[in-house]
Every structure is written in structure tokens, then in C-alpha cells.
Amino acid sequence: MENKLQELTRKIYNEGVEKAEQEAAVILDNARKEAAALTAKARTEAEEIVKQARANADEMLRNAQSEVRMSSKQAISAIRQQIAGLITAKVVESPVKDVISDKSFIGDIIRKALEHFNQDAALILPAADQQSLEKYFGTRLNQVLSGGVEVKFDDRIKGGFKIGPKDNSYLISFTDEDFQAFFRSFMRPRTINLLFGGE
């Protein structure tokens, strides 16, 4: 009986070990499959992340190159404008100053401008030129003043003059800055064309 009990115990033990080994094999197989699935999923996600990172890097590179091209074009354009501006200023400033300092030329323009205002005008002249203009106009200035034209002198005007109705509703400016701005706007396209071939 003892032998049968030992044999039965051994049989139960062996069946238990065999069953445990089978269950362990199933668990181990499932674990391997799950690990393989997780590894495959991780690889796929890693590949997607790398792919997205490369796409982002490529886009950033394209944007940076585009920005550099645009910035360089703007810088070249700005340099060209500055060069043209400097040359135009040299070409325009001296002749305009010569013309504006010619009292007879300015006097003729003032007389013609006053004819169109029918003596209902305000004339603003440069304060620095007050004595020379009074000397140039002489008695004519007194005639202009007695004719009802209001004459003022302004420190802000360096050359030329401004004229308008006495009610100050508007002023027409003939200052040296105005003439220079006019001639610069006229000369700048020609200067750019001459220097850079019309680009």
C-alpha cells in the first residue's frame, strides 16, 4: 500500500510538473509573442518619429534657405537703393542749392505765384535770408506788403519759400527740400538703371 501511495504521489507530482511546464511554456510563448509585438510596434513608432523628424528638418532647411535668399535679395536691394540715393543726392543737392540761392530766380517765382493769389496771400520766407531778400526786393517788398500780402520769416525754412491763402487753409511749398525731393524722385530710377542695368 505504501508503494501504491508513493507511486500515486509520484504520478500526481509528475502530472503537476508536466502541467506546470506546459503552462510555463504557454506563458513563455505568449510573453515572447507579446514582446515581439511590442518590439515591432516600438520599431514602427521609432521609424515614424525618425521619418517625421527628417521631414521637419528638411522643411526647416528649405525655410532657412528661402529666408536667406529673400534676406540677401532685400539686402542687395537696400544697398542699391542707398548707393543710388547717395549718388542722386550728390547730383541733385548742389545744383538745387545754387538755384534756390539765386534771389532773382526765387523772386521771379514769388512774383508769378503772387499773381495767382490776387494779393490774398501769405508768403513764408527763410529767416536766414531775411536781410538779403529785403535788400533784393527793396521797394518792391514794401509794394507787396502794402498790397495786402502777409510776409513771414521762418527759421525752419532753409531755402526757397512757401505760399498760400491768408486763411492758412493750405500752403504750397517751394523749399530747397521740396525741390531736392522732386529731383531725387525724378533721378533715382535713372540712376538705378544707369548703375545696375534697370534691375
Side-chain angles (χ1 to χ4, degrees), residues 97-130:
K97 283 185 180 178
D98 291 344
V99 168
I100 293 295
S101 64
D102 181 359
K103 302 305 178 217
S104 64
F105 174 74
I106 293 297
D108 288 342
I109 293 177
I110 290 172
R111 274 196 299 281
K112 292 210 186 284
L114 287 174
E115 287 174 9
H116 295 285
F117 279 95
N118 299 323
Q119 303 299 324
D120 184 32
L123 181 64
I124 305 171
L125 300 166
D129 293 343
Q130 184 172 355

Side-chain angles (χ1 to χ4, degrees), residues 20-33:
E21 284 176 353
Q22 287 173 353
E23 287 178 3
V26 169
I27 290 171
L28 191 57
D29 188 47
N30 287 341
R32 284 188 183 127
K33 287 178 184 174

Side-chain angles (χ1 to χ4, degrees), residues 14-178:
N14 286 341
E15 285 177 5
V17 168
E18 191 178 308
K19 188 174 180 183
E21 284 176 353
Q22 287 173 353
E23 287 178 3
V26 169
I27 290 171
L28 191 57
D29 188 47
N30 287 341
R32 284 188 183 127
K33 287 178 184 174
E34 195 174 320
L38 287 173
T39 302
K41 183 179 177 187
R43 271 197 193 109
T44 304
E45 288 177 357
E47 286 171 2
E48 187 60 35
I49 289 169
V50 168
K51 183 179 170 184
Q52 188 62 41
R54 283 188 182 136
N56 289 346
D58 288 345
E59 184 179 352
M60 286 172 64
L61 180 62
R62 281 192 305 273
N63 289 344
Q65 288 171 338
S66 175
E67 192 72 30
V68 167
R69 278 193 299 271
M70 186 170 54
S71 295
S72 65
K73 285 180 183 178
Q74 289 173 342
I76 289 169
S77 177
I79 289 169
R80 286 180 176 178
Q81 291 294 331
Q82 288 176 350
I83 290 170
L86 291 171
I87 291 172
T88 303
K90 289 285 185 189
V91 169
V92 169
E93 281 179 19
S94 182
V96 167
K97 283 185 180 178
D98 291 344
V99 168
I100 293 295
S101 64
D102 181 359
K103 302 305 178 217
S104 64
F105 174 74
I106 293 297
D108 288 342
I109 293 177
I110 290 172
R111 274 196 299 281
K112 292 210 186 284
L114 287 174
E115 287 174 9
H116 295 285
F117 279 95
N118 299 323
Q119 303 299 324
D120 184 32
L123 181 64
I124 305 171
L125 300 166
D129 293 343
Q130 184 172 355
Q131 289 180 345
S132 61
L133 287 169
E134 285 175 350
K135 189 183 290 183
Y136 171 75
F137 283 113
T139 57
R140 286 178 282 188
L141 186 59
N142 290 333
Q143 290 170 353
V144 166
L145 290 172
S146 64
V149 175
E150 185 179 303
V151 178
K152 299 176 192 172
F153 293 93
D154 190 341
D155 288 330
R156 292 172 294 183
I157 299 176
K158 303 301 177 205
F161 67 96
K162 292 183 180 183
I163 190 168
K166 282 185 186 177
D167 65 3
N168 293 321
S169 57
Y170 65 90
L171 279 176
I172 302 172
S173 185
F174 294 94
T175 64
D176 55 354
E177 290 91 357
D178 296 322

Side-chain angles (χ1 to χ4, degrees), residues 170-190:
Y170 65 90
L171 279 176
I172 302 172
S173 185
F174 294 94
T175 64
D176 55 354
E177 290 91 357
D178 296 322
F179 281 112
Q180 286 177 16
F182 171 74
F183 285 114
R184 280 183 185 154
S185 68
F186 176 75
M187 292 291 296
R188 185 177 306 259
R190 285 157 182 77

